[in-house]
Amino acid sequence: MSSFENILLKAEDQIATLTINRPDKLNAINKFTLLELKCALQKVCMNKNIKALIITGSGEKAFIAGADINEIATLDESNARSFSENGQEIFRLIENSQKPVIGAINGYALGGGCELALSCHLRLASYNAKFGLPEASLGILPAFGGTQRLTRLIGKGRALEIMLTGDMISAERALEIGLVNHIVEKPSDLMPSCKKILDKILRNAPLSAGKIITATNAAYSKEGYLAETDCFADLIKTDDFTEGTKAFIEKRTPKFIGS
Ligand code: COA
């Protein structure tokens, strides 16, 4: 359908499939990939022949292992806010899409990858999928809407446990707490299962689907997203942020000092 560097976009039988394609970096999303993602989403939105979208990651190890930590490490006070706002804006395109979007989660869905999955309307995961928001281990917080969407989806207590511990959870646990809609045995089972659900959805009136999405999204306040960006910008000023990201890049355990 289109050629991108870090994204594969194809369409078949009214359904587009968007694959984040940086398998050597576990599909971590850097700025360029985010830009391509925005462009690909706009193409899907404008194409009248496409009625639904599936988003997945390349390979069998990762959906998306997060935003690119090498780039996060270079953020400072001057660009932290725009980093968060840009990610929120792009993930909002997914959430507000009038065409149903399913996340097909085929491996690690961490940080920004988990946040992207949360912005999809439905989530299907394979048994090997793992979910987590480990930003606190880097001295930051989930800043692409994760604090808001996870809390709504699974409730405050469970969301706080995931974000404060940074623990990864299995696909089975994700199903148990409502983070995903269904799980399938193997990553290769994901596409047929997504298409089976979309077959049902696409038999219904498309305008109803769009309005159901809009009305459901309207149940939530926008102020929380602003608070998330404020907190992210505050954390970027800290020594622990520098230490957290540096430790990941140097492949060692961070030593946090609380300032
Ligand atoms: N940003 C940048 N690079 C990343 C990345 C990220 N979020 N996640 C993985 N990678 C890179 C690794 O640095 C490594 O690159 P290299 O081969 O050039 O060293 C490559 O992807 C493979 O990852 P690796 O860590 O070797 O795989 P693993 O199987 O040992 O561990 C994870 C897998 C997912 C547990 C581990 O990669 C990880 O913890 N990633 C970061 C997750 C995270 O904190 N995400 C939130 C970011 S806000």
Side-chain angles (χ1 to χ4, degrees):
M1 202 181 139
S2 265
S3 61
F4 295 99
E5 208 168 292
N6 295 336
I7 282 179
L8 306 171
L9 185 62
K10 60 174 193 169
E12 196 183 83
D13 298 334
Q14 303 189 308
I15 299 171
T17 305
L18 189 164
T19 307
I20 306 291
N21 187 32
R22 280 185 91 204
D24 55 324
K25 295 291 172 194
L26 303 185
N27 304 319
I29 15 182
N30 56 9
K31 273 189 223 153
F32 182 69
T33 310
L34 266 181
L35 194 69
E36 288 196 325
L37 176 61
K38 184 175 181 180
C39 210
L41 291 168
Q42 284 165 342
K43 273 184 184 294
V44 169
C45 172
M46 283 171 348
N47 188 327
K48 289 199 168 67
N49 298 320
I50 292 176
K51 307 290 183 212
L53 172 65
I54 300 169
I55 302 182
T56 193
S58 197
E60 295 211 344
K61 189 167 173 184
F63 173 67
I64 300 165
D68 192 311
I69 298 172
N70 296 291
E71 286 187 357
I72 292 179
T74 67
L75 291 175
D76 58 29
E77 272 181 79
S78 67
N79 50 18
R81 294 195 68 86
S82 59
F83 173 83
S84 167
E85 284 162 358
N86 183 44
Q88 286 185 0
E89 183 202 327
I90 295 169
F91 288 9
R92 211 172 283 130
L93 290 178
I94 299 173
E95 183 168 59
N96 291 338
S97 161
Q98 297 292 289
K99 304 177 186 187
V101 183
I102 303 190
I105 299 133
N106 55 323
Y108 289 114
L110 303 175
C114 184
E115 293 181 283
L116 191 151
L118 290 167
S119 69
C120 296
H121 302 130
L122 303 179
R123 280 154 294 283
L124 265 64
S126 49
Y127 259 98
N128 66 324
K130 290 211 183 316
F131 297 81
L133 290 170
E135 281 85 349
S137 72
L138 299 167
I140 48 173
L141 56 62
F144 290 173
T147 62
Q148 307 302 296
R149 293 193 180 100
L150 187 67
T151 306
R152 287 182 215 150
L153 196 60
I154 64 171
K156 185 174 165 186
R158 285 172 173 153
L160 281 174
E161 185 176 344
I162 287 175
M163 290 185 279
L164 294 175
T165 61
D167 282 350
M168 283 190 221
I169 63 165
S170 65
E172 274 175 300
R173 177 68 183 147
L175 180 67
E176 205 172 87
I177 63 179
L179 206 164
V180 297
N181 296 78
H182 301 282
I183 47 180
V184 300
E185 184 88 13
K186 303 184 295 290
S188 58
D189 297 334
L190 278 169
M191 286 303 148
S193 299
C194 288
K195 287 185 177 163
K196 214 165 149 189
I197 294 180
L198 285 173
D199 273 351
K200 281 194 199 170
I201 294 177
L202 296 182
R203 262 184 248 144
N204 291 326
L207 290 178
S208 291
K211 292 293 182 196
I212 286 170
I213 290 166
T214 302
T216 307
N217 289 345
Y220 304 108
S221 108
K222 296 204 170 83
E223 277 155 35
Y225 290 95
L226 190 58
E228 184 183 87
T229 299
D230 287 344
C231 292
F232 183 73
D234 285 345
L235 286 170
I236 292 293
K237 297 175 203 164
T238 65
D239 294 330
D240 279 351
F241 156 67
T242 310
E243 166 63 8
T245 47
K246 204 160 167 253
F248 176 84
I249 291 163
E250 292 169 3
K251 300 187 191 288
R252 61 173 174 82
T253 307
K255 284 195 191 122
F256 292 128
I257 54 171
S259 64

